[in-house]
Amino acid sequence: MPGLRPRAYDLAAAALVALCPSVAIAAVHDVHTHRLDNGLTLHIAPGHPAPVAAVQAWLGVGSADEAPGEAGVAHVVEHMVFKGSAGYGRGELVRAIERGGGEINAWTSFDHTVYHAVLGADHVDAAIHALGDALLEPLVDPDELAREREVILEEIRQGSDDPARGVAQSLFATAFVAHPYRRPVIGTASSVQGIGERELIAFFRRFYVADNLTLVVAGDVDPVRVQRSVERRFRAMPSGRPPRRAPIEPPQTEVRAACSHRDVGEAYLAVGFHVPAARHPDLAALDVATIVLGQGESARLPRMLRDGEQLATSAYASLHALRDPGLLVLSATARPADAPRAVAALVDRSAHLIDDLGAAELDKARIAVETALVRQLETAQGRARALGWHATVAGDPQFGHVYLDRIRAVRRHDVARAMQRYLQPGNASVAAILPTARTRPARTAWARQAERRVARALAAAPTPAPAAQAEQRVVLASGMTVLVRRDPSVPIVAMRAVWRGGQRIEDADHAGASALLARLLTRGCGARDAGAVADQIDHLGGALAGVAGRNSFGASAEWLARSWRPGLELLADCVLEPALPTAELVRERRLLIDDQRAQATSPSQAAFRLFSEALYGGHPYARDALGSPAAIARLSRSDLAAFYRARYPVAELTLAIVGDIELDDVIAAVEQRFGRIPRPAAALPAGRGSSPVASSAPLAFDGRSAEDREVYRYLDRAQAHLVIGFPGATVSTADRFALEVLVAVLGGQSGRLFAELRDRQALAYRVSAHSVEGLDPGFVAIYLSCAPDKLGAAVAGVREQLARLRAEGVTAAEVERAQSYLIGSHRIAMQRRAAVANAMAYHEAYGLGWQTWADYDAAIRAVTPAAVAAAVASYLREDRALTATVRPPIATPGAVRRSKLPAAPPLPPAKHPPPRPRGNV
């Protein structure tokens, strides 16, 4: 079904998908369906190569079922279900799942509410029992409701700072005038403040009934045992069919547009067209159209508007299939001056699909559908989500099979007819968020202009059991290391090419060189230009991209098993013969700087960047991972080519290939392309890879006073953002596993920080703990965002928890919970072939041993409370704490001028404005 696909989305499109989540088109085979006496429907999808199970409860109720005066109540109910039930106190539901090495969460959408857990398969009964208790016998404590209401208000404030979410909500509010789809799923601040205990209970009793619940269990499970467990726990759930609101959206007759201004770096644009509900036959042709238009690097909109005409910095198309009629959305980001033309071009280029859709583009769309199907089935949670969505929204758990047949039957004339039917002026709505400027057109004037441009553009348009695995390590004559692992459980092959390098080896004159090279790696190679590379990637049904980070550089690829050979050839061409064309360099340099400008307005990124600058000083880790605009602007093609040759020779390359392959075939193919390349005359330093530019430089804050270890910036946003951090570990430090357990004790939904700052005090919506290791010491950090007037209390709460850790250490129960969570999360993450290829390649390149990634579980289990206490003493030292705060302006106008974050990089040095916010470390 149209919706989430494993591709790189632009921000606006990602927010639109998040606004109305749908699911990829996976059709699950071997499904056991049962209907309990009370009306509950159970779907079981057994069989999985990993000992993992997913349990998902799909309630057929969302924000579209709310009365106008109770907007947001479905989302509040979702939050409160986690706050305690008859058999589980506050936080105990999460701990019950984490004891099984898993995680649990939920989401609310327009049409449904979903509670989902994934954990070790031997704990599935516990998950069914815990989830059943929460859904049958939740407790509503007025004080708990008041605290959670504050948390949701923080969530709303956080969303108000996100322009991508804002343009999505504005589009739906403009396109729908009567249907509840026009309201934000989360509600508004005023509506949430009006939701009390009585409204909550009434809504729960109406909709949380057995006839409205679809339970899905997928993975390595016994269907008979699962059925018995579900019947024991859920048979007491009351039956009954809930009242269903059936609002009728009046037909739209003319273009509608809405425009607003915010403090953003670029324009966010979206155009929506009403389309039928999920089961309508036209959806298949419209899905093909959106794939051709805006999904993948070779899609029309990014190729035309971003690469060719350079009217947009990103462009995307998506189809939102909903229970009631939804939207086809064209979205883009653009420089402010280009926004009016970008809106018209979005519509014009899309409408011309009626005329010139070719057989090759149709084939690419079908391959994209098949790729989405295969990837969806790779994980237990993916299979469960496919079943749940089809059952709840489409009304048939096996609707995926019907939809696949429709996709295969789509022809050119079907796409042309569907586009002509729905891309009409009277069916179009436009939403825009534009940067604030001193002189700006009135909102209504810009909106009317957009309406006229869209109308003109449309008027001018043409009418089983896991198989045995094997693995091998080979060093070629060229010096390159090849790691191969056979896993035929899913017809996918993942490849990861890795060098030590990245940001760590760049000096100031080359800051951003690796990031720029990563973008250029697939923008032309050998005899292919950028368009030919993108075409071949899509024809192969794969993905290929350059990757650059703090410690590494390389490329990642993923292919269907039948196309791994041409996929390897393309990867080799990009690595061995990157063209680095000047035109692409100019374009990618501009886009990289545009990305920096957009990131500069993100308060969370600004907080971490401020922290890194203060922590690392002259070390390359201090810089933005994207580099510096000045250095990027100076880098010529010859500079980049020389840097690539010097820093990334084949002799230092590690290539890992994992999937449905034969080892000998792969090794022979790699040897043929990479084995005969001569080693460089001058060997690089020992240890596989270049040494860092400033590895011996002391941390920037060493020797500072306590006051000087606090840095600030002002940014006019609704929330304050805080990072409290410390120098961290390297990837090879012996106590890094104890540090991971420590961070898990602090973070996560059942960690100390979440329990105290969010659940008990409702001070912050988002609070998390992180450990980022590197080849040089990384950092340990606590991050939170909150209302500015709560900042002092939130910081005091963090300080209190850190002081408790230093004084009391951690309990055996906390360590056990953290271990179960980390091991379970690791197993869930390692379901994908790409994750295994990444782990093998990085462990080899970093000198850790290519097979040691498989020892993670044992290493985590070996951590003791004493080891965690030692990690606290080593890393969470009060005299080495560094605090970085980004918050709305306070203090004098002069202090504000000295401290305010500019609209575009480079960022100025951090200031220390008086007075300091109370409570900061």
Side-chain angles (χ1 to χ4, degrees):
M1 214 53 225
L4 301 177
R5 288 196 172 86
R7 295 174 181 270
Y9 300 136
D10 65 85
L11 289 177
L16 285 163
V17 171
L19 185 69
C20 45
S22 61
V23 69
I25 49 127
V28 183
H29 298 271
D30 189 23
V31 178
H32 302 244
T33 298
H34 308 275
R35 189 170 177 86
L36 276 60
D37 291 341
N38 59 0
L40 181 150
T41 301
L42 169 65
H43 300 297
I44 308 171
H48 196 58
V52 173
V55 181
Q56 299 185 0
W58 288 71
L59 275 301
V61 58
S63 63
D65 299 290
E66 298 167 342
E70 56 182 12
V73 66
H75 180 248
V76 177
V77 170
E78 174 219 308
H79 274 239
M80 292 303 297
V81 163
F82 285 90
K83 295 303 170 182
S85 59
Y88 295 80
R90 186 179 65 186
E92 290 181 1
L93 172 62
V94 172
R95 287 193 286 272
I97 301 301
E98 291 185 345
R99 278 195 296 270
E103 55 191 26
I104 186 170
N105 216 318
W107 78 78
T108 304
S109 77
F110 288 137
D111 299 324
H112 50 266
T113 304
V114 183
Y115 302 86
H116 56 99
V118 58
L119 73 173
D122 50 346
H123 295 275
V124 69
D125 288 335
I128 292 171
H129 185 276
L131 199 55
D133 198 86
L135 294 177
L136 268 70
E137 301 179 88
L139 302 179
V140 179
D141 179 86
D143 294 335
E144 194 68 45
L145 175 57
R147 285 190 291 267
E148 201 60 21
R149 189 186 293 114
E150 287 298 311
V151 169
I152 294 171
L153 291 174
E154 286 296 331
E155 189 176 355
I156 293 172
R157 293 185 191 103
Q158 179 178 297
S160 70
D161 284 339
D162 183 356
R165 181 180 295 185
V167 77
Q169 292 179 343
S170 177
L171 178 64
F172 276 73
T174 304
F176 295 97
V177 298
H179 197 286
Y181 288 167
R182 74 184 316 274
R183 301 193 299 258
V185 170
I186 198 173
T188 64
S190 60
S191 68
V192 170
Q193 287 170 336
I195 296 172
E197 183 179 355
R198 179 182 301 174
E199 291 81 6
L200 210 66
I201 293 174
F203 189 87
F204 181 89
R205 287 176 175 170
R206 287 203 309 272
F207 292 103
Y208 279 58
V209 291
D211 297 88
N212 202 35
L213 173 61
T214 298
L215 197 66
V216 185
V217 181
D220 186 18
V221 298
D222 178 357
V224 174
R225 180 176 174 181
V226 167
Q227 182 182 354
R228 290 172 180 168
S229 183
V230 169
E231 287 175 343
R232 281 195 304 270
R233 178 61 267 186
F234 284 86
R235 63 189 174 193
M237 192 173 198
S239 58
R241 293 191 177 276
R244 180 69 64 206
R245 297 179 58 81
I248 298 175
E249 179 70 21
Q252 186 173 341
T253 58
E254 59 185 6
V255 183
R256 294 196 287 254
C259 171
S260 62
H261 292 82
R262 293 192 191 179
D263 183 13
V264 294
E266 55 186 347
Y268 290 76
L269 312 169
V271 184
F273 300 86
H274 293 280
V275 295
R279 290 186 63 92
H280 195 282
D282 282 353
L283 267 289
L286 292 170
D287 197 13
V288 168
T290 58
I291 293 169
V292 172
L293 285 172
Q295 298 182 25
E297 280 296 303
S298 66
R300 290 193 178 197
L301 294 179
R303 179 181 287 184
M304 291 178 173
L305 303 188
R306 185 194 65 193
D307 302 348
E309 300 167 47
Q310 299 185 5
L311 284 175
T313 55
S314 68
Y316 187 77
S318 56
L319 182 63
H320 299 279
L322 303 172
R323 186 175 62 200
D324 294 331
L327 290 180
L328 183 152
V329 177
L330 310 172
S331 61
T333 54
R335 288 170 289 281
D338 295 332
R341 290 189 297 150
V343 167
L346 267 177
V347 175
D348 178 74
R349 307 305 180 269
S350 301
H352 275 82
L353 192 64
I354 296 170
D355 269 346
D356 57 356
L357 176 63
E361 288 181 304
L362 273 176
D363 288 340
K364 283 195 295 184
R366 294 190 184 97
I367 290 173
V369 169
E370 181 181 353
T371 302
L373 164 63
V374 172
R375 288 176 176 161
Q376 184 84 355
L377 299 180
E378 191 175 15
T379 66
Q381 59 268 39
R383 297 169 71 200
R385 186 171 179 180
L387 275 172
W389 191 92
H390 289 127
T392 305
V393 179
D396 177 6
Q398 295 298 341
F399 181 70
H401 298 292
V402 176
Y403 192 76
L404 277 173
D405 289 339
R406 290 178 179 176
I407 288 287
R408 294 186 183 111
V410 169
R411 298 295 181 264
R412 179 186 178 279
H413 65 271
D414 299 316
V415 176
R417 186 176 62 249
M419 293 292 281
Q420 192 171 33
R421 178 177 299 166
Y422 298 107
L423 266 66
Q424 292 292 325
N427 195 36
S429 298
V430 183
I433 293 179
L434 306 177
T436 302
R438 290 188 177 181
T439 59
R440 66 188 190 195
R443 297 180 183 181
T444 54
W446 198 99
R448 299 296 83 78
Q449 180 188 19
E451 290 172 355
R452 290 191 296 270
R453 285 178 176 267
V454 169
R456 284 199 300 267
L458 290 171
T463 34
Q469 296 175 339
E471 56 189 11
Q472 189 173 347
R473 177 182 184 271
V474 177
V475 179
L476 305 182
S478 61
M480 171 180 164
T481 301
V482 183
L483 313 172
V484 188
R485 179 182 174 92
R486 181 176 184 270
D487 180 358
S489 58
V490 178
I492 286 177
V493 177
M495 303 176 181
R496 190 64 189 257
V498 172
W499 283 276
R500 287 173 67 152
Q503 179 183 357
R504 177 175 174 266
I505 65 168
E506 296 171 348
D507 57 26
D509 290 336
H510 293 84
S514 297
L516 193 51
L517 280 167
R519 290 173 176 237
L520 288 169
L521 210 58
T522 58
R523 303 302 296 176
C525 60
R528 302 180 187 89
D529 61 14
V533 173
D535 269 337
Q536 186 165 1
I537 292 170
D538 287 341
H539 275 298
L540 295 175
L544 172 62
V547 181
R550 286 158 49 99
N551 304 281
S552 65
F553 170 84
S556 64
E558 198 169 2
W559 317 102
L560 295 175
R562 68 171 183 247
S563 59
W564 75 261
R565 288 180 183 274
L568 175 64
E569 288 293 325
L570 184 58
L571 171 66
D573 286 346
C574 289
V575 168
L576 298 176
E577 304 176 65
L580 309 181
T582 301
E584 295 294 335
L585 170 59
V586 171
R587 188 184 71 88
E588 292 297 340
R589 181 194 288 132
R590 174 177 52 78
L591 291 174
L592 188 58
I593 294 173
D594 284 343
D595 286 348
Q596 291 178 318
R597 182 175 292 110
Q599 286 188 13
T601 62
S602 166
S604 59
Q605 295 201 31
F608 273 102
R609 183 171 171 191
L610 177 63
F611 170 77
S612 295
E613 290 172 351
L615 178 65
Y616 289 111
H619 192 285
Y621 286 171
R623 293 192 291 263
D624 190 320
L626 297 181
S628 69
I632 292 168
R634 290 193 300 267
L635 287 171
S636 66
R637 183 190 181 281
S638 59
D639 294 332
L640 285 174
F643 184 87
Y644 186 69
R645 287 193 302 270
R647 294 295 188 174
Y648 302 124
V650 171
E652 297 296 326
L653 176 61
T654 297
L655 175 62
I657 300 179
V658 178
D660 187 10
I661 42 86
E662 296 296 331
L663 270 62
D664 292 343
D665 292 345
V666 169
I667 293 170
V670 175
E671 173 74 40
Q672 184 175 1
R673 285 307 310 267
F674 293 93
R676 298 182 180 88
I677 296 172
R679 293 174 182 252
L684 288 168
R688 295 194 59 79
S690 302
S691 47
V693 172
S695 61
S696 59
L699 293 173
F701 72 90
D702 282 351
R704 286 189 187 179
S705 66
E707 181 174 343
D708 286 342
R709 294 198 303 274
E710 301 178 13
V711 290
Y712 304 85
R713 285 204 178 119
Y714 289 144
L715 191 61
D716 193 5
R717 295 292 185 270
Q719 288 188 306
H721 297 255
L722 177 83
V723 177
I724 299 177
F726 309 82
T730 69
V731 294
S732 58
T733 304
D735 59 0
R736 65 189 185 278
F737 297 107
L739 183 57
E740 276 203 60
V741 173
L742 168 60
V743 168
V745 169
L746 278 172
Q749 292 186 47
S750 59
R752 291 190 180 189
L753 294 171
F754 194 95
E756 179 65 22
L757 299 184
R758 173 166 164 164
D759 276 357
R760 197 177 75 80
Q761 298 188 49
L763 291 173
Y765 173 70
R766 180 178 292 177
V767 59
S768 55
H770 309 268
S771 175
V772 177
E773 298 86 21
L775 288 171
D776 296 323
F779 62 83
V780 185
I782 295 165
Y783 164 78
L784 64 84
S785 59
C786 64
D789 59 355
K790 297 179 181 179
L791 182 59
V795 173
V798 174
R799 294 179 62 191
E800 179 184 357
Q801 294 305 311
L802 293 176
R804 279 187 56 204
L805 271 176
R806 298 183 189 111
E808 304 170 8
V810 295
T811 66
E814 286 180 308
V815 171
E816 183 180 354
R817 176 195 64 79
Q819 289 169 324
S820 295
Y821 172 73
L822 289 170
I823 291 170
S825 297
H826 183 255
R827 290 176 177 176
I828 292 166
M830 300 307 292
Q831 293 178 94
R832 296 191 180 277
R833 277 20 52 173
V836 176
N838 286 348
M840 292 170 62
Y842 283 122
H843 279 69
E844 171 69 23
Y846 293 167
L848 304 175
W850 67 286
Q851 293 176 310
T852 56
W853 68 272
D855 300 330
Y856 179 85
D857 292 10
I860 292 294
R861 286 195 184 98
V863 174
T864 63
V868 176
V872 171
S874 296
Y875 295 103
L876 303 188
R877 288 172 45 185
E878 189 171 6
D879 63 327
R880 306 203 85 195
L882 177 66
T883 303
T885 306
V886 172
R887 59 162 300 152
I890 56 172
T892 66
V896 172
R897 284 194 301 273
R898 291 194 303 272
S899 305
K900 189 167 183 180
L901 190 70
L907 299 177
K911 304 294 183 182
H912 305 275
R916 292 183 288 123
R918 288 184 57 202
N920 281 17
V921 177

